[in-house]
PDB file of all heavy atoms in Angstrom:
ATOM      1  N   LYS A   1      -9.578 -16.959 -16.922  1.00  0.00           N
ATOM      2  CA  LYS A   1      -9.357 -18.140 -16.147  1.00  0.00           C
ATOM      3  C   LYS A   1      -9.703 -17.864 -14.681  1.00  0.00           C
ATOM      4  O   LYS A   1      -9.651 -16.715 -14.225  1.00  0.00           O
ATOM      5  CB  LYS A   1      -7.889 -18.614 -16.265  1.00  0.00           C
ATOM      6  CG  LYS A   1      -7.616 -19.140 -17.650  1.00  0.00           C
ATOM      7  CD  LYS A   1      -6.237 -19.815 -17.622  1.00  0.00           C
ATOM      8  CE  LYS A   1      -5.930 -20.481 -19.023  1.00  0.00           C
ATOM      9  NZ  LYS A   1      -4.605 -21.146 -19.064  1.00  0.00           N
ATOM     10  N   GLU A   2      -9.894 -18.988 -13.953  1.00  0.00           N
ATOM     11  CA  GLU A   2     -10.181 -18.737 -12.473  1.00  0.00           C
ATOM     12  C   GLU A   2      -8.899 -18.498 -11.782  1.00  0.00           C
ATOM     13  O   GLU A   2      -7.785 -18.905 -12.235  1.00  0.00           O
ATOM     14  CB  GLU A   2     -10.852 -20.076 -11.994  1.00  0.00           C
ATOM     15  CG  GLU A   2     -12.325 -20.249 -12.449  1.00  0.00           C
ATOM     16  CD  GLU A   2     -12.937 -21.425 -11.749  1.00  0.00           C
ATOM     17  OE1 GLU A   2     -12.295 -22.086 -10.909  1.00  0.00           O
ATOM     18  OE2 GLU A   2     -14.136 -21.663 -12.012  1.00  0.00           O
ATOM     19  N   ARG A   3      -9.085 -17.865 -10.656  1.00  0.00           N
ATOM     20  CA  ARG A   3      -7.884 -17.625  -9.747  1.00  0.00           C
ATOM     21  C   ARG A   3      -7.356 -18.953  -9.327  1.00  0.00           C
ATOM     22  O   ARG A   3      -8.193 -19.827  -8.760  1.00  0.00           O
ATOM     23  CB  ARG A   3      -8.348 -16.728  -8.577  1.00  0.00           C
ATOM     24  CG  ARG A   3      -7.170 -16.065  -7.932  1.00  0.00           C
ATOM     25  CD  ARG A   3      -7.815 -14.942  -7.031  1.00  0.00           C
ATOM     26  NE  ARG A   3      -8.285 -13.836  -7.780  1.00  0.00           N
ATOM     27  CZ  ARG A   3      -8.691 -12.740  -7.220  1.00  0.00           C
ATOM     28  NH1 ARG A   3      -8.670 -12.492  -5.936  1.00  0.00           N
ATOM     29  NH2 ARG A   3      -9.191 -11.761  -8.001  1.00  0.00           N
ATOM     30  N   GLU A   4      -6.090 -19.209  -9.397  1.00  0.00           N
ATOM     31  CA  GLU A   4      -5.548 -20.468  -8.934  1.00  0.00           C
ATOM     32  C   GLU A   4      -4.489 -20.288  -7.884  1.00  0.00           C
ATOM     33  O   GLU A   4      -3.750 -19.346  -7.774  1.00  0.00           O
ATOM     34  CB  GLU A   4      -4.845 -21.264 -10.147  1.00  0.00           C
ATOM     35  CG  GLU A   4      -3.711 -20.497 -10.800  1.00  0.00           C
ATOM     36  CD  GLU A   4      -3.154 -21.228 -11.985  1.00  0.00           C
ATOM     37  OE1 GLU A   4      -3.707 -22.361 -12.330  1.00  0.00           O
ATOM     38  OE2 GLU A   4      -2.172 -20.786 -12.501  1.00  0.00           O
ATOM     39  N   TYR A   5      -4.501 -21.334  -6.988  1.00  0.00           N
ATOM     40  CA  TYR A   5      -3.591 -21.273  -5.808  1.00  0.00           C
ATOM     41  C   TYR A   5      -2.200 -21.593  -6.262  1.00  0.00           C
ATOM     42  O   TYR A   5      -1.923 -22.423  -7.111  1.00  0.00           O
ATOM     43  CB  TYR A   5      -4.123 -22.431  -4.879  1.00  0.00           C
ATOM     44  CG  TYR A   5      -3.220 -22.705  -3.651  1.00  0.00           C
ATOM     45  CD1 TYR A   5      -3.442 -21.935  -2.509  1.00  0.00           C
ATOM     46  CD2 TYR A   5      -2.398 -23.726  -3.630  1.00  0.00           C
ATOM     47  CE1 TYR A   5      -2.737 -22.131  -1.390  1.00  0.00           C
ATOM     48  CE2 TYR A   5      -1.636 -24.000  -2.491  1.00  0.00           C
ATOM     49  CZ  TYR A   5      -1.836 -23.257  -1.340  1.00  0.00           C
ATOM     50  OH  TYR A   5      -1.121 -23.545  -0.261  1.00  0.00           O
ATOM     51  N   VAL A   6      -1.244 -20.817  -5.606  1.00  0.00           N
ATOM     52  CA  VAL A   6       0.095 -21.012  -6.018  1.00  0.00           C
ATOM     53  C   VAL A   6       0.884 -21.538  -4.770  1.00  0.00           C
ATOM     54  O   VAL A   6       1.620 -22.584  -4.970  1.00  0.00           O
ATOM     55  CB  VAL A   6       0.764 -19.653  -6.375  1.00  0.00           C
ATOM     56  CG1 VAL A   6       2.263 -19.782  -6.609  1.00  0.00           C
ATOM     57  CG2 VAL A   6       0.110 -19.111  -7.636  1.00  0.00           C
ATOM     58  N   ALA A   7       0.811 -20.917  -3.620  1.00  0.00           N
ATOM     59  CA  ALA A   7       1.561 -21.334  -2.469  1.00  0.00           C
ATOM     60  C   ALA A   7       0.830 -20.863  -1.234  1.00  0.00           C
ATOM     61  O   ALA A   7       0.140 -19.829  -1.248  1.00  0.00           O
ATOM     62  CB  ALA A   7       2.980 -20.930  -2.547  1.00  0.00           C
ATOM     63  N   GLY A   8       1.111 -21.449  -0.065  1.00  0.00           N
ATOM     64  CA  GLY A   8       0.540 -21.028   1.207  1.00  0.00           C
ATOM     65  C   GLY A   8       1.515 -21.236   2.368  1.00  0.00           C
ATOM     66  O   GLY A   8       2.421 -22.135   2.228  1.00  0.00           O
ATOM     67  N   ILE A   9       1.360 -20.476   3.394  1.00  0.00           N
ATOM     68  CA  ILE A   9       2.149 -20.625   4.632  1.00  0.00           C
ATOM     69  C   ILE A   9       1.285 -20.387   5.889  1.00  0.00           C
ATOM     70  O   ILE A   9       0.397 -19.433   5.831  1.00  0.00           O
ATOM     71  CB  ILE A   9       3.389 -19.675   4.595  1.00  0.00           C
ATOM     72  CG1 ILE A   9       4.280 -19.907   5.732  1.00  0.00           C
ATOM     73  CG2 ILE A   9       2.942 -18.230   4.569  1.00  0.00           C
ATOM     74  CD1 ILE A   9       5.648 -19.260   5.663  1.00  0.00           C
ATOM     75  N   ASN A  10       1.342 -21.299   6.813  1.00  0.00           N
ATOM     76  CA  ASN A  10       0.500 -21.146   7.927  1.00  0.00           C
ATOM     77  C   ASN A  10       0.921 -19.930   8.877  1.00  0.00           C
ATOM     78  O   ASN A  10       1.953 -19.374   8.659  1.00  0.00           O
ATOM     79  CB  ASN A  10       0.369 -22.412   8.775  1.00  0.00           C
ATOM     80  CG  ASN A  10       1.472 -22.592   9.731  1.00  0.00           C
ATOM     81  OD1 ASN A  10       2.629 -22.478   9.352  1.00  0.00           O
ATOM     82  ND2 ASN A  10       1.105 -22.912  10.951  1.00  0.00           N
ATOM     83  N   TRP A  11       0.121 -19.674   9.875  1.00  0.00           N
ATOM     84  CA  TRP A  11       0.371 -18.460  10.630  1.00  0.00           C
ATOM     85  C   TRP A  11       1.766 -18.315  11.365  1.00  0.00           C
ATOM     86  O   TRP A  11       2.409 -17.266  11.485  1.00  0.00           O
ATOM     87  CB  TRP A  11      -0.667 -18.284  11.763  1.00  0.00           C
ATOM     88  CG  TRP A  11      -0.562 -19.248  12.861  1.00  0.00           C
ATOM     89  CD1 TRP A  11      -1.034 -20.512  12.929  1.00  0.00           C
ATOM     90  CD2 TRP A  11       0.125 -19.074  14.080  1.00  0.00           C
ATOM     91  NE1 TRP A  11      -0.637 -21.239  14.073  1.00  0.00           N
ATOM     92  CE2 TRP A  11       0.056 -20.296  14.822  1.00  0.00           C
ATOM     93  CE3 TRP A  11       0.806 -17.981  14.696  1.00  0.00           C
ATOM     94  CZ2 TRP A  11       0.662 -20.372  16.033  1.00  0.00           C
ATOM     95  CZ3 TRP A  11       1.381 -18.129  15.930  1.00  0.00           C
ATOM     96  CH2 TRP A  11       1.286 -19.363  16.608  1.00  0.00           C
ATOM     97  N   SER A  12       2.307 -19.470  11.734  1.00  0.00           N
ATOM     98  CA  SER A  12       3.570 -19.527  12.413  1.00  0.00           C
ATOM     99  C   SER A  12       4.741 -19.729  11.425  1.00  0.00           C
ATOM    100  O   SER A  12       5.907 -19.515  11.869  1.00  0.00           O
ATOM    101  CB  SER A  12       3.602 -20.585  13.353  1.00  0.00           C
ATOM    102  OG  SER A  12       3.547 -21.842  12.833  1.00  0.00           O
ATOM    103  N   GLY A  13       4.491 -20.036  10.189  1.00  0.00           N
ATOM    104  CA  GLY A  13       5.549 -20.321   9.255  1.00  0.00           C
ATOM    105  C   GLY A  13       6.021 -21.794   9.219  1.00  0.00           C
ATOM    106  O   GLY A  13       6.984 -22.125   8.484  1.00  0.00           O
ATOM    107  N   VAL A  14       5.425 -22.579  10.147  1.00  0.00           N
ATOM    108  CA  VAL A  14       5.918 -23.985  10.241  1.00  0.00           C
ATOM    109  C   VAL A  14       5.530 -24.828   8.999  1.00  0.00           C
ATOM    110  O   VAL A  14       6.255 -25.682   8.560  1.00  0.00           O
ATOM    111  CB  VAL A  14       5.315 -24.604  11.541  1.00  0.00           C
ATOM    112  CG1 VAL A  14       5.509 -26.162  11.519  1.00  0.00           C
ATOM    113  CG2 VAL A  14       5.894 -24.029  12.703  1.00  0.00           C
ATOM    114  N   THR A  15       4.374 -24.515   8.420  1.00  0.00           N
ATOM    115  CA  THR A  15       3.888 -25.321   7.320  1.00  0.00           C
ATOM    116  C   THR A  15       3.833 -24.448   6.070  1.00  0.00           C
ATOM    117  O   THR A  15       3.368 -23.310   6.045  1.00  0.00           O
ATOM    118  CB  THR A  15       2.406 -25.725   7.606  1.00  0.00           C
ATOM    119  OG1 THR A  15       2.350 -26.508   8.820  1.00  0.00           O
ATOM    120  CG2 THR A  15       1.968 -26.632   6.458  1.00  0.00           C
ATOM    121  N   THR A  16       4.420 -25.012   4.988  1.00  0.00           N
ATOM    122  CA  THR A  16       4.288 -24.372   3.703  1.00  0.00           C
ATOM    123  C   THR A  16       3.738 -25.366   2.627  1.00  0.00           C
ATOM    124  O   THR A  16       3.783 -26.586   2.902  1.00  0.00           O
ATOM    125  CB  THR A  16       5.594 -23.862   3.182  1.00  0.00           C
ATOM    126  OG1 THR A  16       6.531 -24.953   3.117  1.00  0.00           O
ATOM    127  CG2 THR A  16       6.231 -22.811   4.087  1.00  0.00           C
ATOM    128  N   ASP A  17       3.161 -24.837   1.650  1.00  0.00           N
ATOM    129  CA  ASP A  17       2.479 -25.753   0.591  1.00  0.00           C
ATOM    130  C   ASP A  17       2.672 -25.105  -0.696  1.00  0.00           C
ATOM    131  O   ASP A  17       2.550 -23.850  -0.825  1.00  0.00           O
ATOM    132  CB  ASP A  17       1.040 -25.851   1.026  1.00  0.00           C
ATOM    133  CG  ASP A  17       0.377 -26.759   0.010  1.00  0.00           C
ATOM    134  OD1 ASP A  17       0.765 -27.910  -0.236  1.00  0.00           O
ATOM    135  OD2 ASP A  17      -0.751 -26.305  -0.469  1.00  0.00           O
ATOM    136  N   TYR A  18       2.875 -25.846  -1.770  1.00  0.00           N
ATOM    137  CA  TYR A  18       3.040 -25.331  -3.108  1.00  0.00           C
ATOM    138  C   TYR A  18       2.201 -26.233  -4.046  1.00  0.00           C
ATOM    139  O   TYR A  18       2.139 -27.483  -3.969  1.00  0.00           O
ATOM    140  CB  TYR A  18       4.497 -25.448  -3.499  1.00  0.00           C
ATOM    141  CG  TYR A  18       5.438 -24.682  -2.637  1.00  0.00           C
ATOM    142  CD1 TYR A  18       6.026 -25.245  -1.555  1.00  0.00           C
ATOM    143  CD2 TYR A  18       5.728 -23.294  -2.884  1.00  0.00           C
ATOM    144  CE1 TYR A  18       6.893 -24.524  -0.641  1.00  0.00           C
ATOM    145  CE2 TYR A  18       6.541 -22.548  -2.056  1.00  0.00           C
ATOM    146  CZ  TYR A  18       7.071 -23.174  -0.986  1.00  0.00           C
ATOM    147  OH  TYR A  18       7.951 -22.505  -0.107  1.00  0.00           O
ATOM    148  N   THR A  19       1.645 -25.559  -5.045  1.00  0.00           N
ATOM    149  CA  THR A  19       1.034 -26.326  -6.166  1.00  0.00           C
ATOM    150  C   THR A  19       2.184 -26.925  -7.023  1.00  0.00           C
ATOM    151  O   THR A  19       3.286 -26.427  -7.032  1.00  0.00           O
ATOM    152  CB  THR A  19       0.045 -25.467  -7.006  1.00  0.00           C
ATOM    153  OG1 THR A  19      -0.667 -26.205  -7.759  1.00  0.00           O
ATOM    154  CG2 THR A  19       0.856 -24.477  -7.771  1.00  0.00           C
ATOM    155  N   ASP A  20       1.885 -27.986  -7.701  1.00  0.00           N
ATOM    156  CA  ASP A  20       2.840 -28.713  -8.353  1.00  0.00           C
ATOM    157  C   ASP A  20       3.658 -27.935  -9.401  1.00  0.00           C
ATOM    158  O   ASP A  20       4.849 -28.129  -9.636  1.00  0.00           O
ATOM    159  CB  ASP A  20       2.233 -29.925  -9.090  1.00  0.00           C
ATOM    160  CG  ASP A  20       1.815 -31.043  -8.135  1.00  0.00           C
ATOM    161  OD1 ASP A  20       2.324 -30.978  -6.980  1.00  0.00           O
ATOM    162  OD2 ASP A  20       1.103 -31.977  -8.579  1.00  0.00           O
ATOM    163  N   PHE A  21       2.987 -26.993 -10.086  1.00  0.00           N
ATOM    164  CA  PHE A  21       3.682 -26.277 -11.156  1.00  0.00           C
ATOM    165  C   PHE A  21       4.658 -25.254 -10.627  1.00  0.00           C
ATOM    166  O   PHE A  21       5.337 -24.629 -11.487  1.00  0.00           O
ATOM    167  CB  PHE A  21       2.685 -25.681 -12.173  1.00  0.00           C
ATOM    168  CG  PHE A  21       1.518 -24.886 -11.640  1.00  0.00           C
ATOM    169  CD1 PHE A  21       1.824 -23.630 -11.181  1.00  0.00           C
ATOM    170  CD2 PHE A  21       0.289 -25.480 -11.523  1.00  0.00           C
ATOM    171  CE1 PHE A  21       0.735 -22.832 -10.609  1.00  0.00           C
ATOM    172  CE2 PHE A  21      -0.770 -24.683 -11.015  1.00  0.00           C
ATOM    173  CZ  PHE A  21      -0.502 -23.401 -10.475  1.00  0.00           C
ATOM    174  N   VAL A  22       4.833 -25.022  -9.390  1.00  0.00           N
ATOM    175  CA  VAL A  22       5.853 -24.069  -8.883  1.00  0.00           C
ATOM    176  C   VAL A  22       6.770 -24.715  -7.896  1.00  0.00           C
ATOM    177  O   VAL A  22       7.766 -24.124  -7.442  1.00  0.00           O
ATOM    178  CB  VAL A  22       5.163 -22.835  -8.235  1.00  0.00           C
ATOM    179  CG1 VAL A  22       4.211 -22.126  -9.106  1.00  0.00           C
ATOM    180  CG2 VAL A  22       4.502 -23.206  -6.897  1.00  0.00           C
ATOM    181  N   LYS A  23       6.564 -25.924  -7.560  1.00  0.00           N
ATOM    182  CA  LYS A  23       7.451 -26.694  -6.639  1.00  0.00           C
ATOM    183  C   LYS A  23       8.872 -26.653  -7.161  1.00  0.00           C
ATOM    184  O   LYS A  23       9.140 -26.924  -8.321  1.00  0.00           O
ATOM    185  CB  LYS A  23       6.965 -28.128  -6.347  1.00  0.00           C
ATOM    186  CG  LYS A  23       5.787 -28.210  -5.381  1.00  0.00           C
ATOM    187  CD  LYS A  23       5.423 -29.653  -5.193  1.00  0.00           C
ATOM    188  CE  LYS A  23       4.263 -29.763  -4.195  1.00  0.00           C
ATOM    189  NZ  LYS A  23       3.805 -31.108  -4.044  1.00  0.00           N
ATOM    190  N   GLY A  24       9.807 -26.335  -6.224  1.00  0.00           N
ATOM    191  CA  GLY A  24      11.148 -26.285  -6.680  1.00  0.00           C
ATOM    192  C   GLY A  24      11.606 -25.006  -7.287  1.00  0.00           C
ATOM    193  O   GLY A  24      12.772 -24.750  -7.490  1.00  0.00           O
ATOM    194  N   ARG A  25      10.681 -24.111  -7.660  1.00  0.00           N
ATOM    195  CA  ARG A  25      10.956 -22.819  -8.233  1.00  0.00           C
ATOM    196  C   ARG A  25      10.560 -21.680  -7.378  1.00  0.00           C
ATOM    197  O   ARG A  25      11.252 -20.659  -7.405  1.00  0.00           O
ATOM    198  CB  ARG A  25      10.294 -22.729  -9.598  1.00  0.00           C
ATOM    199  CG  ARG A  25      10.682 -23.889 -10.546  1.00  0.00           C
ATOM    200  CD  ARG A  25      10.093 -23.469 -12.041  1.00  0.00           C
ATOM    201  NE  ARG A  25       8.670 -23.381 -12.042  1.00  0.00           N
ATOM    202  CZ  ARG A  25       7.937 -22.408 -12.444  1.00  0.00           C
ATOM    203  NH1 ARG A  25       8.606 -21.233 -12.797  1.00  0.00           N
ATOM    204  NH2 ARG A  25       6.620 -22.469 -12.455  1.00  0.00           N
TER     205      ARG A  25
END
């Protein structure tokens, strides 16, 4: 399978992002 995105955080930590299948976990 292709490499898939899980989560990210910007350089300062202000912004975070999660793919749907890990949100809340």
Side-chain angles (χ1 to χ4, degrees):
K1 293 189 176 181
E2 291 188 357
R3 197 167 293 187
E4 61 181 3
Y5 176 83
V6 175
I9 186 166
N10 83 310
W11 70 276
S12 66
V14 169
T15 304
T16 58
D17 180 52
Y18 301 90
T19 193
D20 286 345
F21 50 76
V22 305
K23 280 181 181 177
R25 300 189 298 122

